[in-house]
Amino acid sequence: MSQDNIYRHTIFQNSLMTALLDGIYDGEMTVGELLGKGNFGLGTFDALDGEMVIVDGICYQLRHDGTATLADLQAGSPYAVCTNFVPRIRRRAPKNITRADLSGFIDEMTPSENYMYAVRITGRFSRVTTRTVVKQQQPYRPMTEATDDDAEQVFDNVSGVIAGFRTPIYEKGISVPGCHVHFIDDDRTVGGHVLDFTLEEGKIELCPGTDLELRLPLTREFSAANLAPEDIDAQLHKTEVKR
């Protein structure tokens, strides 16, 4: 893959993953403001009220029962990543490929492991397994405890979109290193945070990102948060990999 695939492109992020791990679940940025930063992305909502996915400029709220609805433009978000998706790199996926194998396939598609990539996978899935956070109540528990309530859903023989980001390891704590992705079906009725999948057939599109626009909250809770936990690897594994 040639470096000619890399152009200046900005990825926007609201807050830090370590702030979310520390229980900072209320945000000062609305969905409407977030959509002004990009037409593609993921995140969560105030009080961890479900997962967020943005596809084709529309934001959806994915709840713990697996259902998907249009998000309220006035809803707040404590953490989100988005960009204006420009597919610079495209490949057909090998048939019946699993998430584990597809991760390596995507790595081979990238010109360099040192950039960020927005990742969009579209096609027919024989199975998608998701887990979705459940709305929390104050006082908020740390995310490692809050995700104990997560609800797992399995969707069989479904067409849809997996949307997210492949993030370099040096961004650990700022974002989620590796591939962090959410799913929504073509009917926009079900979805969640992806744990595993088998892609029957489909395509992969990558949008390389060279610039990161990071917005930090101006809140008392963020100012007092522990943003450098010693067990960050274990926390990320429990809350994001969840297996």
Side-chain angles (χ1 to χ4, degrees), residues 29 60 83-84 108 133 199 243:
M29 189 172 198
Y60 299 91
T83 193
N84 285 310
E108 293 175 0
V133 289
L199 178 61
R243 282 197 168 181

Side-chain angles (χ1 to χ4, degrees), residues 130-208:
T130 68
R131 287 184 75 178
T132 301
V133 289
V134 177
K135 185 177 181 179
Q136 301 295 299
Q137 303 294 326
Q138 293 183 339
Y140 294 137
R141 297 174 292 169
M143 198 173 181
T144 51
E145 297 177 21
T147 53
D148 288 339
D149 302 330
D150 281 9
E152 185 169 313
Q153 305 289 335
V154 176
F155 308 109
D156 290 321
N157 301 315
V158 61
S159 294
V161 181
I162 284 179
F165 296 87
R166 179 194 179 280
T167 303
I169 191 68
Y170 60 75
E171 271 199 58
K172 183 195 303 182
I174 297 175
S175 192
V176 180
C179 279
H180 178 195
V181 290
H182 291 177
F183 170 78
I184 190 166
D185 72 329
D186 282 348
D187 292 333
R188 307 299 192 247
T189 58
V190 297
H193 173 102
V194 175
L195 293 178
D196 200 4
F197 61 82
T198 299
L199 178 61
E200 188 175 318
E201 58 179 355
K203 65 180 179 180
I204 305 162
E205 298 171 300
L206 304 182
C207 173

Side-chain angles (χ1 to χ4, degrees), residues 21 38-39 41 46 50 58 74-75 88 98 130 139 154 158-159 162 164 171 180 183 216 226 235:
L21 292 174
N39 61 11
D46 281 351
I58 301 174
Q74 297 305 312
R88 300 287 188 186
T98 64
T130 68
V154 176
V158 61
S159 294
I162 284 179
E171 271 199 58
H180 178 195
F183 170 78
L216 300 179
N226 176 15
Q235 289 193 44

Side-chain angles (χ1 to χ4, degrees), residues 24-43:
I24 310 302
Y25 301 152
D26 290 326
E28 58 180 15
M29 189 172 198
T30 67
V31 168
E33 291 174 314
L34 186 63
L35 290 175
K37 296 293 187 177
N39 61 11
F40 176 92
L42 51 65

Side-chain angles (χ1 to χ4, degrees), residues 79-128:
Y79 175 83
V81 188
C82 69
T83 193
N84 285 310
F85 193 88
V86 181
R88 300 287 188 186
I89 305 167
R90 303 178 181 89
R91 292 275 297 274
R92 295 298 302 181
K95 290 189 175 181
N96 298 310
I97 191 168
T98 64
R99 176 176 182 164
D101 291 336
L102 190 60
S103 179
F105 185 81
I106 289 174
D107 287 345
E108 293 175 0
M109 291 174 60
T110 63
S112 169
E113 65 181 11
N114 295 330
Y115 295 106
M116 303 164 284
Y117 296 89
V119 179
R120 182 168 63 191
I121 305 167
T122 56
R124 180 76 179 173
F125 299 83
S126 56
R127 173 163 288 195
V128 181

